[in-house]
Amino acid sequence: GGRKTDEEYFGSYSNFSIHSEMLQDAARTEAYRDFVYGNRDLFAGKRVLDVGCGTGILSLFAAKQGATAVVGVDNSDIVDKAKAIVRDNGLSDRINIIRGRMEDVNLEDTFDVVISEWMGYGMLFECMLDSVIIARDRYMKPTGTMIPNRASMFLAGISDQDAYIRKVGFWSDVYGFNMGTMKEEVVRTASVEYVPARSMVTTVTGFKDYDLNLVEVEGLEFVSQIEMRVVGREESDERDASPVPLTAFTLYFTCFFDGPDRAVTLDTAPTATHTHWQQTVLYLQEPLDVCTDDVIKGTISFRKSPENRRGYVIGVNVIAVRNEKTFTQIKHNYYLN
C-alpha cells in the first residue's frame, strides 16, 4: 500500500489550490523569505538544494540572493509549472527543477545549503522530513546549512466546550437518540483546527526538540515525557477555584532558522499568527473537570501508522494529579492520516 499512498500524496500537490494556500500563508512564506534575504552570505555563490520545491518559491528566493546553482526536486505535476515560473522570471540558467522522489533521483553534486518546507500537520504528518534527511545525508557538504535547522513540538491542555460539543458531544443526543458510540470514532482522529488562545488552561510542555543537522529517520518515532499544570483561564483576575472542563490537548510546533546575520522563528502556537497548519487537537472522549494547580503528567508517543505510510499514531498516556493524589488516567491513541 506504500506506493499508492505516495501517489495520492504527490497527486494532492498537483492541485493548485494547495499551493495558493501555502503561498498565501504569509507567516510561512515570509519566514523563509526573511531568512534567505537576511543572510545573503549563506547563498551568494553557493549551491542550494530545495527539497519538495512545489512552485519553486524557495529556489527563487535563493537565486535572488546570488546562489549560483539551485536544484529543486518535487514528485508532483507542479514541476511543469515550476519550470515555467523559473523561465518566466529569467532564472533558468541558475535554477534546475527535477521531477522525482528525493529517494530516487541521482544528483551529481553536493550542496552548501539544503532548504525545505517539509512540515506537515502536527509537524511530522506526511513524513516529508524523512526525504529531507535522505537529501542531507546524500547531498549536503559536511559544512553545509540546513534550513530550517531546528524544530520543537509542544502540547497544552485546552477547555473549549463549544468545539467539543460540535465535534464530539452532540453524539450523546441526536434528535433524542443516544449515538454515543460514534464518539469513539471521532476521538480516534486527531483534528486539525484553529485553537483560540484563550482556551488554553495549562502550562505548555515542550516534548521534542530536533536538530535538523543531526536527526536520523529513526528519531521520527519516539516516546517523550510530558507534564502540564492547570493554570485556569487567563481572563479570570483572581485565582478561580472552580473547576474547568478539560476537553482536549492541542499540539503545535515551532521551527527555528538560525543564521549568521538574521534569525527567524516560524511559530504555529495558538498565540501566534494563524498559519495553514492551524493546530492539531486531540479530543478527550468526555471532558475532565480540572482545578488550578492540578498536574497532568505521563507520556506522548509518535509512531508511524501501519495503515498509511505518511500517517502517524499519536499516543497519550497521562494521569491527572490533585494534591499529590491521582484522580484519573487518560490513555488514548489518535490517528493522523
Side-chain angles (χ1 to χ4, degrees), residues 196-210:
R198 64 176 184 279
S199 68
M200 294 168 76
V201 291
T202 71
T203 54
V204 174
T205 183
F207 63 87
K208 195 69 184 168
D209 296 304
Y210 284 118

PDB file of all heavy atoms in Angstrom, residues 196-210:
ATOM      1  N   PRO A 196      -8.491  28.716  19.808  1.00  0.00           N
ATOM      2  CA  PRO A 196      -8.399  30.079  20.359  1.00  0.00           C
ATOM      3  C   PRO A 196      -7.408  30.085  21.524  1.00  0.00           C
ATOM      4  O   PRO A 196      -7.456  29.198  22.383  1.00  0.00           O
ATOM      5  CB  PRO A 196      -9.821  30.368  20.857  1.00  0.00           C
ATOM      6  CG  PRO A 196     -10.695  29.275  20.317  1.00  0.00           C
ATOM      7  CD  PRO A 196      -9.808  28.105  20.027  1.00  0.00           C
ATOM      8  N   ALA A 197      -6.522  31.066  21.551  1.00  0.00           N
ATOM      9  CA  ALA A 197      -5.501  31.130  22.606  1.00  0.00           C
ATOM     10  C   ALA A 197      -6.145  31.144  23.989  1.00  0.00           C
ATOM     11  O   ALA A 197      -5.615  30.572  24.942  1.00  0.00           O
ATOM     12  CB  ALA A 197      -4.625  32.368  22.406  1.00  0.00           C
ATOM     13  N   ARG A 198      -7.325  31.759  24.099  1.00  0.00           N
ATOM     14  CA  ARG A 198      -7.967  31.875  25.415  1.00  0.00           C
ATOM     15  C   ARG A 198      -8.436  30.525  25.960  1.00  0.00           C
ATOM     16  O   ARG A 198      -8.762  30.404  27.133  1.00  0.00           O
ATOM     17  CB  ARG A 198      -9.144  32.852  25.356  1.00  0.00           C
ATOM     18  CG  ARG A 198     -10.265  32.389  24.453  1.00  0.00           C
ATOM     19  CD  ARG A 198     -11.482  33.309  24.471  1.00  0.00           C
ATOM     20  NE  ARG A 198     -12.541  32.736  23.641  1.00  0.00           N
ATOM     21  CZ  ARG A 198     -12.585  32.838  22.320  1.00  0.00           C
ATOM     22  NH1 ARG A 198     -11.646  33.526  21.686  1.00  0.00           N
ATOM     23  NH2 ARG A 198     -13.554  32.271  21.628  1.00  0.00           N
ATOM     24  N   SER A 199      -8.488  29.503  25.090  1.00  0.00           N
ATOM     25  CA  SER A 199      -8.967  28.204  25.580  1.00  0.00           C
ATOM     26  C   SER A 199      -7.860  27.378  26.245  1.00  0.00           C
ATOM     27  O   SER A 199      -8.120  26.334  26.820  1.00  0.00           O
ATOM     28  CB  SER A 199      -9.612  27.406  24.447  1.00  0.00           C
ATOM     29  OG  SER A 199      -8.636  27.028  23.507  1.00  0.00           O
ATOM     30  N   MET A 200      -6.613  27.851  26.182  1.00  0.00           N
ATOM     31  CA  MET A 200      -5.513  27.109  26.823  1.00  0.00           C
ATOM     32  C   MET A 200      -5.606  27.275  28.339  1.00  0.00           C
ATOM     33  O   MET A 200      -5.666  28.395  28.842  1.00  0.00           O
ATOM     34  CB  MET A 200      -4.166  27.609  26.302  1.00  0.00           C
ATOM     35  CG  MET A 200      -3.967  27.288  24.827  1.00  0.00           C
ATOM     36  SD  MET A 200      -2.570  28.155  24.085  1.00  0.00           S
ATOM     37  CE  MET A 200      -1.205  27.208  24.749  1.00  0.00           C
ATOM     38  N   VAL A 201      -5.637  26.148  29.043  1.00  0.00           N
ATOM     39  CA  VAL A 201      -5.835  26.209  30.502  1.00  0.00           C
ATOM     40  C   VAL A 201      -4.708  25.515  31.288  1.00  0.00           C
ATOM     41  O   VAL A 201      -4.816  25.335  32.488  1.00  0.00           O
ATOM     42  CB  VAL A 201      -7.206  25.614  30.917  1.00  0.00           C
ATOM     43  CG1 VAL A 201      -8.345  26.517  30.446  1.00  0.00           C
ATOM     44  CG2 VAL A 201      -7.381  24.194  30.399  1.00  0.00           C
ATOM     45  N   THR A 202      -3.643  25.124  30.598  1.00  0.00           N
ATOM     46  CA  THR A 202      -2.498  24.552  31.305  1.00  0.00           C
ATOM     47  C   THR A 202      -1.217  25.249  30.841  1.00  0.00           C
ATOM     48  O   THR A 202      -1.224  25.981  29.854  1.00  0.00           O
ATOM     49  CB  THR A 202      -2.320  23.034  31.004  1.00  0.00           C
ATOM     50  OG1 THR A 202      -1.863  22.875  29.647  1.00  0.00           O
ATOM     51  CG2 THR A 202      -3.612  22.246  31.209  1.00  0.00           C
ATOM     52  N   THR A 203      -0.142  24.965  31.564  1.00  0.00           N
ATOM     53  CA  THR A 203       1.172  25.364  31.068  1.00  0.00           C
ATOM     54  C   THR A 203       1.454  24.548  29.806  1.00  0.00           C
ATOM     55  O   THR A 203       0.807  23.529  29.547  1.00  0.00           O
ATOM     56  CB  THR A 203       2.258  25.074  32.120  1.00  0.00           C
ATOM     57  OG1 THR A 203       2.176  23.693  32.497  1.00  0.00           O
ATOM     58  CG2 THR A 203       2.083  25.953  33.354  1.00  0.00           C
ATOM     59  N   VAL A 204       2.418  25.007  29.033  1.00  0.00           N
ATOM     60  CA  VAL A 204       2.785  24.319  27.790  1.00  0.00           C
ATOM     61  C   VAL A 204       3.960  23.396  28.088  1.00  0.00           C
ATOM     62  O   VAL A 204       4.892  23.778  28.792  1.00  0.00           O
ATOM     63  CB  VAL A 204       3.190  25.356  26.716  1.00  0.00           C
ATOM     64  CG1 VAL A 204       3.713  24.656  25.466  1.00  0.00           C
ATOM     65  CG2 VAL A 204       1.996  26.248  26.381  1.00  0.00           C
ATOM     66  N   THR A 205       3.899  22.183  27.590  1.00  0.00           N
ATOM     67  CA  THR A 205       5.031  21.271  27.749  1.00  0.00           C
ATOM     68  C   THR A 205       5.707  21.064  26.396  1.00  0.00           C
ATOM     69  O   THR A 205       5.057  20.714  25.413  1.00  0.00           O
ATOM     70  CB  THR A 205       4.577  19.924  28.374  1.00  0.00           C
ATOM     71  OG1 THR A 205       5.708  19.076  28.584  1.00  0.00           O
ATOM     72  CG2 THR A 205       3.573  19.172  27.505  1.00  0.00           C
ATOM     73  N   GLY A 206       7.003  21.375  26.339  1.00  0.00           N
ATOM     74  CA  GLY A 206       7.783  21.084  25.137  1.00  0.00           C
ATOM     75  C   GLY A 206       8.194  19.630  25.226  1.00  0.00           C
ATOM     76  O   GLY A 206       8.740  19.205  26.252  1.00  0.00           O
ATOM     77  N   PHE A 207       7.902  18.830  24.210  1.00  0.00           N
ATOM     78  CA  PHE A 207       8.181  17.395  24.364  1.00  0.00           C
ATOM     79  C   PHE A 207       9.158  16.835  23.336  1.00  0.00           C
ATOM     80  O   PHE A 207       9.565  15.682  23.447  1.00  0.00           O
ATOM     81  CB  PHE A 207       6.882  16.575  24.388  1.00  0.00           C
ATOM     82  CG  PHE A 207       6.066  16.625  23.129  1.00  0.00           C
ATOM     83  CD1 PHE A 207       6.319  15.744  22.084  1.00  0.00           C
ATOM     84  CD2 PHE A 207       5.038  17.558  22.983  1.00  0.00           C
ATOM     85  CE1 PHE A 207       5.560  15.785  20.928  1.00  0.00           C
ATOM     86  CE2 PHE A 207       4.277  17.597  21.825  1.00  0.00           C
ATOM     87  CZ  PHE A 207       4.550  16.706  20.785  1.00  0.00           C
ATOM     88  N   LYS A 208       9.550  17.643  22.341  1.00  0.00           N
ATOM     89  CA  LYS A 208      10.530  17.125  21.375  1.00  0.00           C
ATOM     90  C   LYS A 208      11.272  18.279  20.745  1.00  0.00           C
ATOM     91  O   LYS A 208      10.663  19.249  20.305  1.00  0.00           O
ATOM     92  CB  LYS A 208       9.816  16.315  20.286  1.00  0.00           C
ATOM     93  CG  LYS A 208      10.744  15.444  19.456  1.00  0.00           C
ATOM     94  CD  LYS A 208      11.309  14.290  20.264  1.00  0.00           C
ATOM     95  CE  LYS A 208      12.302  13.483  19.479  1.00  0.00           C
ATOM     96  NZ  LYS A 208      13.052  12.547  20.336  1.00  0.00           N
ATOM     97  N   ASP A 209      12.598  18.159  20.701  1.00  0.00           N
ATOM     98  CA  ASP A 209      13.443  19.146  20.019  1.00  0.00           C
ATOM     99  C   ASP A 209      14.291  18.411  18.998  1.00  0.00           C
ATOM    100  O   ASP A 209      14.945  17.425  19.345  1.00  0.00           O
ATOM    101  CB  ASP A 209      14.382  19.859  21.013  1.00  0.00           C
ATOM    102  CG  ASP A 209      13.612  20.672  22.034  1.00  0.00           C
ATOM    103  OD1 ASP A 209      12.825  21.531  21.611  1.00  0.00           O
ATOM    104  OD2 ASP A 209      13.782  20.434  23.249  1.00  0.00           O
ATOM    105  N   TYR A 210      14.262  18.889  17.771  1.00  0.00           N
ATOM    106  CA  TYR A 210      15.079  18.277  16.727  1.00  0.00           C
ATOM    107  C   TYR A 210      16.158  19.244  16.272  1.00  0.00           C
ATOM    108  O   TYR A 210      15.882  20.415  16.028  1.00  0.00           O
ATOM    109  CB  TYR A 210      14.217  17.927  15.505  1.00  0.00           C
ATOM    110  CG  TYR A 210      13.362  16.693  15.691  1.00  0.00           C
ATOM    111  CD1 TYR A 210      11.971  16.778  15.637  1.00  0.00           C
ATOM    112  CD2 TYR A 210      13.944  15.447  15.905  1.00  0.00           C
ATOM    113  CE1 TYR A 210      11.183  15.639  15.798  1.00  0.00           C
ATOM    114  CE2 TYR A 210      13.156  14.310  16.067  1.00  0.00           C
ATOM    115  CZ  TYR A 210      11.787  14.408  16.013  1.00  0.00           C
ATOM    116  OH  TYR A 210      11.018  13.287  16.171  1.00  0.00           O
TER     117      TYR A 210
END
